[in-house]
Amino acid sequence: MESYEPERLSPVQLAAMRRSLTSSRGALTRRSLLRASGMGALALGGIATLGACGIPPAGRAEGAAAADDHSAKEKEVTFSNWTEYMDVSDDEKSRPTLEAFTKRTGIRVKYTEDINDNVEFFGKIKPQLAAGQNTGRDLICVTDWLAARIIRLGWAQKLDPSNLPHAFAGVSAQFRTPDWDPGRAYSYPWTGIPTVIAYNAKATGGRKVDSVTQLLDDPKLKGRVSFLSEMRDTIGMTLLDQGKDPGKFTDADFDGAIGRLQKAVDKKQIRRFTGNDYTADLSKGDIAACVGWAGDIIQLQADNPDIKFAIPAAGYITSSDNLLVPAQARHKTNAEKLIDYYYEPPVAAQLAAYINYVCPVDGVRDELAKIDESMASNTLILPDREMAAKSRSFRSLSTEEETAYEEKFAKLIGA
């Protein structure tokens, strides 16, 4: 059972949270990619606030108790999502896939772009969730670490597979069994977000950069390499390079990754650890190669043909945004029908063509090719089998691990 602990955050955890919100994924728009990730951020916005408000701890048994479902009588569903995370018509007056869903099913979708940050959004809904009240939302989309927390607290409803035939059969293998929701009993991925190696071919003299080892050891890259200030991405990629599984690593493995990176810092191989501001340096060639986020790379490539990416033979880290039905939602069945709708290949392809993130649905390549052949062949949107097989997720962390690991990582990057 998990509960909200009232302890204060350490200075290092607070620093990690601020990094996420001001200089890395938390600082970006949807098109530029991602948000804050990690328990440090959640702790500041969630643990401290809940403790101050006197909201009692919540524990998980077998997920949220089923609420009264009014789907049959109330043909509606309320969906909270991130900005620019849904297809829009050319005149920007309608949302084609949502309108098609309503036309087919008769279910009206109240679609709200009210998620700008995981922590901020959780702050909106946590009082109702903790008090066993309806949040006013039937479907939400949150990043994997927050999805895991909501599920563990018992604040997500278990999904009915009979309402999800396309989703149950069509979710890609790389997203099927996260350690926080094996078999996707409570959630389904909306998109995947890969961490890859990026490089400026002009700055490297035409040489390909395709491994963390190369980033850390190649003398021709000395002083022109950057890694991310997000612990899970930088440590996860380093663990993979060392032959370790980010989903199963030990304390000793983590320390080994820290030590490997520290050597590169000491010999000034690594120029700096960055948030999304690496993109400008990479485009200009001040940074020759780096660990970066796929969504950024797709955008940079549109303006600079010298920007390339590589998937290391050792593998790469993928996080995800996920759909959940909150506890006490009034229209669970309608929400499940909407989830399943977006797992139909033609619909999934239409969405992917607009948002340009990794599509978690099998069998969409031919449908996407009808819309845009270049997107259908872009492995940052549709990973091929070889790339998908290399995808790994950073495992869930306990509060104690989070504290210890963030302290070591903060010391490494000088935060």
Side-chain angles (χ1 to χ4, degrees):
M1 177 174 125
E2 180 171 346
S3 63
Y4 280 105
E5 305 90 345
E7 78 263 12
R8 294 183 179 274
L9 295 175
S10 69
V12 173
Q13 284 181 300
L14 289 171
M17 179 278 297
R18 293 188 184 103
R19 283 201 311 274
S20 291
L21 292 178
T22 61
S23 66
S24 62
R25 295 184 291 187
L28 310 183
T29 65
R30 277 311 318 170
R31 287 288 182 185
S32 297
L33 195 69
L34 292 194
R35 286 81 48 200
S37 64
M39 288 174 60
L42 177 60
L44 185 70
I47 297 174
T49 304
L50 277 178
C53 294
I55 297 174
R60 173 184 173 189
E62 291 298 327
D68 291 337
D69 192 350
H70 301 265
S71 293
K73 294 182 179 179
E74 299 175 3
K75 305 295 285 185
E76 61 185 81
V77 61
T78 301
F79 182 8
S80 284
N81 205 350
W82 300 82
T83 58
E84 298 189 59
Y85 228 13
M86 179 65 71
D87 57 302
V88 178
S89 62
D90 291 339
D91 62 8
E92 299 186 352
K93 294 182 179 180
S94 65
R95 302 186 184 279
T97 57
L98 286 177
E99 290 191 355
F101 173 78
T102 297
K103 184 176 181 180
R104 182 201 296 184
T105 65
I107 299 170
R108 181 176 60 87
V109 181
K110 181 181 179 182
Y111 184 77
T112 307
E113 294 179 322
D114 62 344
I115 305 180
N116 298 303
D117 175 275
N118 280 298
V119 177
E120 178 187 45
F121 179 68
F122 191 63
K124 293 179 183 179
I125 64 174
K126 67 180 182 287
Q128 293 98 328
L129 291 172
Q133 300 171 352
N134 181 12
T135 67
R137 299 165 176 85
D138 302 303
L139 192 63
I140 61 175
C141 183
V142 295
T143 305
D144 43 18
W145 65 268
L146 181 53
R149 175 56 66 91
I150 291 172
I151 291 169
R152 286 198 301 268
L153 287 166
W155 292 347
Q157 296 194 51
K158 193 170 186 178
L159 302 174
D160 183 351
S162 68
N163 292 327
L164 297 156
H166 295 95
F168 186 79
V171 62
S172 299
Q174 71 181 102
F175 297 104
R176 189 173 289 275
T177 57
D179 66 351
W180 46 270
D181 188 17
R184 292 290 182 179
Y186 296 89
S187 69
Y188 273 95
W190 181 250
T191 53
I193 307 158
T195 301
V196 299
I197 289 178
Y199 62 99
N200 185 319
K202 184 177 181 180
T204 64
R207 293 186 307 117
K208 183 177 183 179
V209 181
D210 60 3
S211 72
V212 170
T213 291
Q214 194 173 355
L215 291 175
L216 295 177
D217 294 337
D218 188 340
K220 293 183 179 180
L221 297 177
K222 184 175 181 178
R224 298 189 298 153
V225 168
S226 69
F227 279 73
L228 294 168
S229 57
E230 287 284 355
M231 179 186 71
R232 287 162 177 78
D233 297 304
T234 287
I235 296 297
M237 293 290 281
T238 305
L239 284 168
L240 284 166
D241 190 70
Q242 294 180 307
K244 305 297 183 180
D245 185 348
K248 300 178 180 177
F249 67 89
T250 64
D251 287 348
D253 295 333
F254 185 92
D255 290 343
I258 288 285
R260 180 84 171 90
L261 290 160
Q262 186 65 59
K263 289 180 181 179
V265 170
D266 293 343
K267 66 181 182 181
K268 302 187 185 306
Q269 178 78 9
I270 297 175
R271 180 168 179 162
R272 63 191 183 108
F273 294 85
T274 76
N276 71 299
D277 48 333
Y278 72 88
T279 57
D281 288 342
L282 181 65
S283 189
K284 290 185 297 184
D286 293 341
I287 290 293
C290 64
V291 171
W293 293 306
D296 290 339
I297 308 311
I298 293 174
Q299 294 176 63
L300 291 177
Q301 288 178 325
D303 299 319
N304 187 343
D306 290 322
I307 303 301
K308 311 291 183 182
F309 77 93
I311 302 300
Y316 66 102
I317 294 293
T318 298
S319 57
S320 59
D321 284 335
N322 307 271
L323 302 172
L324 291 86
V325 178
Q328 302 304 318
R330 286 180 62 89
H331 309 106
K332 176 175 178 284
T333 298
N334 290 344
E336 290 167 338
K337 289 180 179 179
L338 185 59
I339 294 172
D340 197 61
Y341 169 73
Y342 279 101
Y343 272 77
E344 296 179 17
V347 181
Q350 190 171 345
L351 179 67
Y354 184 82
I355 66 175
N356 297 344
Y357 284 80
V358 169
C359 179
V361 183
D362 279 337
V364 301
R365 190 173 305 278
D366 290 344
E367 295 293 338
L368 188 55
K370 296 175 184 177
I371 302 171
D372 189 324
E373 182 62 45
S374 66
M375 288 187 181
S377 60
N378 189 333
T379 53
L380 292 181
I381 297 175
L382 289 184
D384 55 24
R385 288 187 178 182
E386 181 181 2
M387 180 173 170
K390 295 179 180 179
S391 172
R392 297 291 184 272
S393 297
F394 199 93
R395 69 171 173 82
S396 301
L397 301 178
S398 67
T399 301
E400 293 76 15
E401 287 176 323
E402 180 77 20
T403 300
Y405 293 169
E406 283 289 5
E407 287 178 351
K408 293 175 181 179
F409 188 69
K411 182 179 180 181
L412 167 73
I413 68 176

